[in-house]
């Protein structure tokens, strides 16, 4: 039975960008984008213009997360519209430039899809980052990727939280897709992590090519992990950390954390337990860059989203 | 060396535990902080031994960086320590001179007896004691003690043979010294298991020193020592100097697993395997250490050998006095 009548008609995804080096010390994306800027054969697809792009070249050169401020938090409406030129922090100027090149954010001229490549010190494996539960194009793409790499897995993290959501570099596009692969230390290139990211992008671009060629994707259910809460380290009155992620929680991203389970361990060996009301799925456990953002890990809740059938308009 | 020979050393009166020499290697940073907090509650361990805890590079610690201007752990040669501070001197040079005044001066009678400098590595190295010497019996005995007290932690002794080059690291400021390196841990991250390993290691070092001071005779024996032979850099682009390959998945995380000629070393971005071309099987370590990309080191290679260590004990007061009298009479003769 054909679902022809119920398929949502969406615009072709003709203009696609691949961002690397949004954080200059997350090496998989830096290496992949540098490779594809030199030779883009691997990312070419029929009917798609693919632009690999280093978003934060100064941070990449210094092999640091950012120079003045986190680029991946800089794409706020205020930052994008503010004047000030040379006085502005480097990353704010960069955000404005990226918005000109790949946006403007929210307008019909914006790029169709932006993949933003990241690494994490957390044991998250391959994670796709989704910004809207209503983005059926992205949901279908993520479902396609998951089916293609099976039995390898790739989970979907949805950040739609009104307070915890932030203005990413990829948010300039109509369909922003974050790619987070770990564990990998900052400044380090691990071959297996690099190849995993490369493989996911290959399938993502295949999906876009098929969609643009007119293929219809039937309705599907996608399991997502919806971001719920940020949990900080226990700190003393001076703001110094007084406990570490508990050995039972360390590296257990995406595994259920139940009320009463060990969460932190103080320096003299005492256990601090999770006091939430129900089972959550922790992620970004012990991410290096989040110490300064007051986050030891984030909690998520499992949810099933239904993506409608989609087809090129 | 005679089987029943016991080598004597002066007692340890001052031991320094240093953390945060690299500001983003967090085990040492937090361990030193905790030890400083505990110090305010309880005093020394007895035996009249003073434990000095030092946060070596506080500015780098505050910013979560390895260093501000230059690597502090390369700033302890005599030349670098003896210059005068100019206005534009790198922060770490000024700091190395401060540390030398606090713990040294290097090479003098006033230097602390032992410097134990705490580090982390992104490489899968377990716990390593790193020293310039393979014949400092005190360090080798401390190492053997750590191995015996922590049988669940892979513990190894790494010897940097610096005969031609002068020692440049913080641990060279003390009369005896070594670095205690624990990994794998990403920089800027604190893993509880690595912290616990480091904490236990430091406790066992201090326990050993107290035992030594109390007159205990440590029997001789032998230990395995890994002596660094050479380093291998990443393949790099001729123009940009950027790396063009990653450590091969079959080598990644296999620190101290013997590397044979023709074993895979690197996997290029285009999928080609580059192999080890040396003639001699060697032991790899510091495999894919983040901070060594800029130093041109993808992996270090070492030879392993068994080193015999003599029995040792602390010099008694009479022996110390006899030695002093001997020195005085020598000076009088001159």
């Amino acid at each position: 039975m054909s679902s022809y009548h119920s398929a949502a008609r969406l615009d072709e995804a003709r203009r696609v960008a691949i961002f690397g080096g949004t954080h200059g010390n997350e090496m998989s994306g830096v290496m992949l984008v540098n490779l594809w800027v030199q030779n883009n054969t691997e990312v070419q697809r029929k009917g798609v213009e693919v632009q690999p792009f280093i978003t934060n070249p100064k941070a990449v050169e210094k092999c640091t997360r950012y120079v003045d401020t986190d680029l991946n938090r800089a794409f706020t409406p205020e930052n994008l519209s503010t004047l000030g030129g040379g006085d502005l922090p480097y990353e704010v100027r960069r955000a404005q430039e990226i918005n000109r090149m790949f946006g403007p954010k929210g307008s019909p001229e914006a790029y169709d899809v932006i993949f933003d490549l990241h690494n994490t010190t957390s044991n998250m494996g391959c994670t796709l980052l989704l910004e809207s539960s209503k983005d059926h194009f992205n949901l279908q793409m993520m479902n396609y990727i998951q089916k293609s790499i099976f039995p390898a897995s790739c989970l979907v993290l949805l950040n739609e939280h009104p307070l915890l959501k932030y203005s990413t570099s990829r948010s300039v596009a109509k369909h922003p897709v974050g790619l987070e692969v770990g564990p990998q230390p900052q400044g380090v290139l691990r071959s297996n992590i690099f190849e995993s990211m490369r493989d996911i992008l290959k399938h993502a671009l295949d999906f876009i090519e098929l969609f643009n060629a007119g293929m219809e994707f039937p309705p599907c259910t996608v399991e997502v992990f919806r971001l719920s809460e940020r949990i900080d380290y226990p700190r003393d009155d001076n703001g110094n950390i007084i406990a570490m992620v508990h050995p039972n929680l360390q590296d257990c991203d995406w595994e259920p954390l139940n009320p009463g389970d060990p969460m932190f361990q103080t320096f003299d060996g005492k256990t601090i337990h999770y006091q939430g009301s129900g089972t959550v799925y922790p992620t970004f456990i012990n991410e290096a860059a989040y110490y300064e953002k007051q986050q030891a890990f984030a909690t998520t809740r499992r949810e099933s989203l239904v993506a409608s059938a989609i087809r090129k308009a | 060396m005679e089987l029943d020979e016991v080598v004597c050393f002066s007692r340890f009166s001052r031991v320094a535990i240093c953390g945060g020499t690299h500001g983003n290697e967090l085990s040492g940073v937090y361990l030193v902080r905790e030890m400083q907090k505990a110090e305010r509650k309880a005093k020394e361990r007895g035996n009249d031994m003073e434990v000095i805890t030092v946060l070596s590079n506080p500015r780098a610690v505050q910013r979560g960086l390895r260093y501000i201007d230059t690597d502090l752990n390369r700033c302890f040669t005599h030349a670098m320590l003896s210059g005068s501070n100019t206005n534009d001197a790198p922060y770490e040079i000024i700091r190395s001179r401060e540390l030398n005044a606090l713990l040294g001066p290097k090479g003098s009678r006033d230097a602390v007896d032992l410097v134990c400098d705490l580090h982390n590595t992104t490489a899968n190295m377990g716990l390593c004691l790193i020293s310039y010497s393979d014949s400092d019996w005190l360090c080798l005995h401390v190492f053997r003690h750590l191995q015996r007290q922590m049988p669940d932690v892979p513990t190894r002794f790494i010897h940097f043979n610096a005969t031609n080059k002068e020692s440049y690291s913080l641990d060279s400021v003390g009369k005896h010294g070594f670095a205690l390196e624990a990994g794998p841990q990403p920089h800027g991250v604190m893993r509880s298991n690595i912290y616990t390993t480091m904490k236990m290691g430091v406790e066992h070092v201090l326990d050993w020193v107290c035992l030594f001071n109390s007159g205990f005779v440590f029997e001789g024996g032998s230990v395995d020592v890994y002596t660094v032979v050479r380093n291998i850099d990443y393949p790099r682009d001729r123009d940009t100097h950027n790396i063009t390959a990653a450590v091969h998945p079959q080598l990644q995380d296999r620190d101290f697993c013997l590397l044979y000629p023709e074993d895979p070393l690197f996997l290029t971005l285009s999928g080609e395997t580059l192999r080890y071309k040396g003639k001699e099987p060697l032991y790899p370590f510091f495999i894919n250490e983040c901070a060594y990309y800029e130093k041109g080191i993808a992996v270090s290679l070492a030879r392993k050998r068994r080193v015999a260590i003599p029995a040792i004990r602390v010099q008694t007061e009479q022996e110390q006095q006899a030695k002093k009298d001997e020195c005085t009479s020598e000076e009088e003769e001159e």
Side-chain angles (χ1 to χ4, degrees), chain A residues 131-134 156-162 223-229 254 280-281 283 298-305:
Chain A
E131 301 198 355
S132 162
S133 56
K134 299 182 180 52
V156 177
L157 172 62
L158 168 65
N159 187 359
E160 217 174 23
H161 194 293
E223 187 180 70
V224 305
F225 290 83
R226 183 187 282 274
L227 194 70
S228 176
E229 207 185 342
W254 309 118
V280 290
Y281 295 84
T283 189
T299 63
T300 68
R301 298 198 136 85
R302 280 165 85 154
E303 203 173 303
S304 279
L305 296 181

Side-chain angles (χ1 to χ4, degrees), chain A residues 31 35 121 185-191 194 198 240-241 244-247 250-251 265 267-268 286 288 291, chain B residues 26 30 33-34 122 186-192 195-196 199 243 246-247 249 252-253 267 269 288 290 293:
Chain A
M31 295 297 286
L35 174 69
T121 57
Q186 295 169 343
V188 162
L189 181 72
R190 288 179 71 100
S191 179
F194 173 87
R198 194 179 197 171
N240 296 316
I241 289 174
M244 313 168 275
V245 169
H246 195 278
Q250 178 70 54
D251 299 333
Q265 185 180 71
F267 292 112
D268 46 11
N286 210 347
Y291 281 55
Chain B
L26 296 191
Y30 281 89
R33 277 202 190 139
E34 288 304 300
T122 56
H187 298 314
V189 160
M190 200 159 43
R191 291 180 68 94
S192 48
Y195 177 83
T196 301
K199 180 175 176 188
I243 68 174
V247 166
Q252 179 67 58
D253 299 333
L267 185 63
L269 305 186
N288 210 349
C290 170
Y293 281 56

Side-chain angles (χ1 to χ4, degrees), chain B residues 299-312:
Chain B
V299 52
S300 293
L301 296 173
R303 257 181 222 123
K304 181 170 81 162
R305 69 189 216 284
R306 211 92 245 247
V307 171
I309 58 177
I312 65 169

Side-chain angles (χ1 to χ4, degrees), chain A:
Chain A
M1 194 164 78
S2 165
S3 56
Y4 185 91
H5 300 288
S6 56
R9 303 298 202 108
L10 303 175
D11 288 334
E12 235 181 10
R14 181 156 288 283
R15 291 153 84 226
V16 172
I18 304 177
F19 284 177
T22 295
H23 296 132
N25 54 10
E26 294 176 14
M27 303 304 290
S28 306
V30 172
M31 295 297 286
L32 279 171
V33 166
N34 277 340
L35 174 69
W36 292 329
V37 162
Q38 269 192 341
N39 181 351
N40 70 352
T41 316
E42 199 178 326
V43 294
Q44 279 181 333
R45 294 291 189 282
K46 195 167 166 207
V48 196
E49 293 162 30
V50 180
Q51 167 111 356
F53 185 76
I54 294 284
T55 43
N56 197 338
K58 263 202 199 170
V60 168
E61 203 203 293
K62 292 174 150 198
C63 196
T64 186
R65 182 177 174 86
Y66 56 80
V67 175
D68 294 327
T69 185
D70 194 332
L71 180 63
N72 214 29
R73 305 287 184 277
F75 287 76
T76 60
E78 304 75 45
N79 277 350
L80 293 180
S81 57
T82 192
L83 304 165
D87 290 335
L88 293 173
Y90 171 73
E91 277 85 5
V92 173
R93 280 181 276 135
R94 201 63 198 144
Q96 291 182 348
E97 206 176 322
I98 290 165
N99 193 40
R100 272 192 293 276
M101 290 175 74
F102 298 96
K105 179 166 167 174
S107 77
E109 292 81 44
Y111 263 57
D112 298 292
V113 185
I114 293 177
F115 297 101
D116 192 21
L117 309 183
H118 289 268
N119 291 118
T120 173
T121 57
S122 307
N123 188 27
M124 286 166 72
C126 296
T127 302
L128 294 163
L129 307 177
L130 183 65
E131 301 198 355
S132 162
S133 56
K134 299 182 180 52
D135 190 335
H136 295 269
F137 179 85
N138 273 356
L139 282 167
Q140 286 281 3
M141 185 202 294
M142 293 179 182
N143 178 63
Y144 178 88
I145 292 168
Q146 288 179 324
K147 298 276 188 301
S148 303
I149 68 172
F150 184 87
S153 84
C154 185
L155 300 179
V156 177
L157 172 62
L158 168 65
N159 187 359
E160 217 174 23
H161 194 293
L163 299 172
L164 300 180
K165 200 180 166 103
Y166 47 85
S167 306
T168 58
S169 49
R170 57 186 178 270
S171 66
V172 165
K174 292 172 187 148
H175 304 289
V177 180
L179 215 65
E180 189 87 55
V181 186
Q184 180 170 270
Q186 295 169 343
V188 162
L189 181 72
R190 288 179 71 100
S191 179
N192 60 328
I193 300 288
F194 173 87
E195 295 295 341
S196 295
M197 191 179 274
R198 194 179 197 171
D199 194 43
I200 289 187
L201 272 165
K202 169 189 146 21
H203 295 297
L205 293 174
D206 288 346
F207 169 85
I208 295 175
E209 184 179 14
L210 290 168
F211 177 82
N212 287 357
M215 182 179 275
E216 176 172 321
F217 294 86
C220 64
T221 303
V222 182
E223 187 180 70
V224 305
F225 290 83
R226 183 187 282 274
L227 194 70
S228 176
E229 207 185 342
R230 237 184 235 152
I231 310 280
D232 191 12
Y233 292 94
R235 292 173 190 268
D236 65 17
D237 297 327
N238 296 323
N240 296 316
I241 289 174
I242 55 174
M244 313 168 275
V245 169
H246 195 278
N248 287 19
L249 178 59
Q250 178 70 54
D251 299 333
C252 294
D253 300 68
W254 309 118
E255 291 174 36
L257 180 70
N258 303 302
D261 283 351
M263 188 170 56
F264 295 111
Q265 185 180 71
T266 65
F267 292 112
D268 46 11
K270 290 200 205 65
T271 298
I272 298 173
H273 303 270
Y274 177 59
Q275 303 289 351
S277 52
T279 298
V280 290
Y281 295 84
T283 189
F284 277 121
I285 299 174
N286 210 347
E287 158 56 50
Y290 290 174
Y291 281 55
E292 71 174 19
K293 297 198 202 298
Q294 277 86 48
Q295 182 178 320
F297 64 96
T299 63
T300 68
R301 298 198 136 85
R302 280 165 85 154
E303 203 173 303
S304 279
L305 296 181
V306 176
S308 60
I310 63 168
R311 190 190 165 100
K312 177 179 85 168

Side-chain angles (χ1 to χ4, degrees), chain B residues 141-204:
Chain B
H141 268 273
V142 168
F143 166 67
R144 189 180 69 176
H145 181 74
L146 281 181
Q147 267 194 324
R148 286 174 171 175
Q149 298 301 315
M150 300 171 70
D152 296 333
V153 178
T155 307
R156 298 177 182 92
F157 190 99
I158 297 176
H159 165 227
F160 274 91
N161 192 359
T163 41
N164 299 327
K165 268 192 326 194
E166 196 198 332
S167 56
Y168 48 66
S169 55
L170 172 56
D171 54 276
S172 68
V173 171
K175 295 195 181 95
H176 304 273
F178 55 82
L180 213 54
E181 187 96 44
Q185 180 170 271
H187 298 314
V189 160
M190 200 159 43
R191 291 180 68 94
S192 48
N193 62 328
I194 300 287
Y195 177 83
T196 301
T197 295
M198 188 74 99
K199 180 175 176 188
M200 281 187 349
V202 169
E203 277 173 11
H204 289 307

